[in-house]
Amino acid sequence: MAAWEQNIEELTSLGVSIFAISVDSLEDTKNIVSPHLSFNLAYGATHEDANAIGAWWSAEGDGRQYIQPSEFIINRGGIVLGSMYASGPIGRFSPR
């Protein structure tokens, strides 16, 4: 998310809007957003939310669960122009 924030001015000038969602609680999300992000970050994503977008749901050895990153480029008409489903830290979209 930091790379997207670093490019927010250029993206905004191009008419791009950025939205993100996290499995984190409201309190944890507040710590991420302020003062680090200027775009919308929703919180409390669930297993059902992951299924709705086709994301992978992973579990750590200690029982913690999380949604693997999924990214979408959606035009103003709501059509998905590109998507990325990660199963690890490599291969994500770049704001460039």
Side-chain angles (χ1 to χ4, degrees):
M1 287 188 281
W4 294 94
E5 183 62 35
Q6 290 171 349
N7 290 277
I8 195 77
E9 289 181 25
E10 182 179 357
L11 293 166
T12 301
S13 74
L14 295 170
V16 173
S17 298
I18 301 169
F19 302 92
I21 187 168
S22 171
V23 298
D24 292 326
S25 68
L26 174 58
E27 286 304 313
D28 288 341
T29 300
K30 285 180 181 179
N31 291 331
I32 294 169
V33 171
S34 182
H36 306 291
L37 297 178
S38 61
F39 55 86
N40 293 316
L41 177 59
Y43 64 92
T46 65
H47 202 122
E48 184 176 281
D49 295 325
N51 290 339
I53 63 171
W56 289 293
W57 190 265
S58 296
E60 294 291 333
D62 62 5
R64 289 179 298 144
Q65 296 186 352
Y66 58 94
I67 299 170
Q68 286 286 358
S70 304
E71 300 174 333
F72 304 92
I73 299 173
I74 303 170
N75 73 7
R76 289 187 178 133
I79 296 171
V80 176
L81 302 176
S83 62
M84 183 286 313
Y85 294 92
S87 60
I90 298 174
R92 301 204 184 139
F93 284 146
S94 164
R96 290 277 161 213

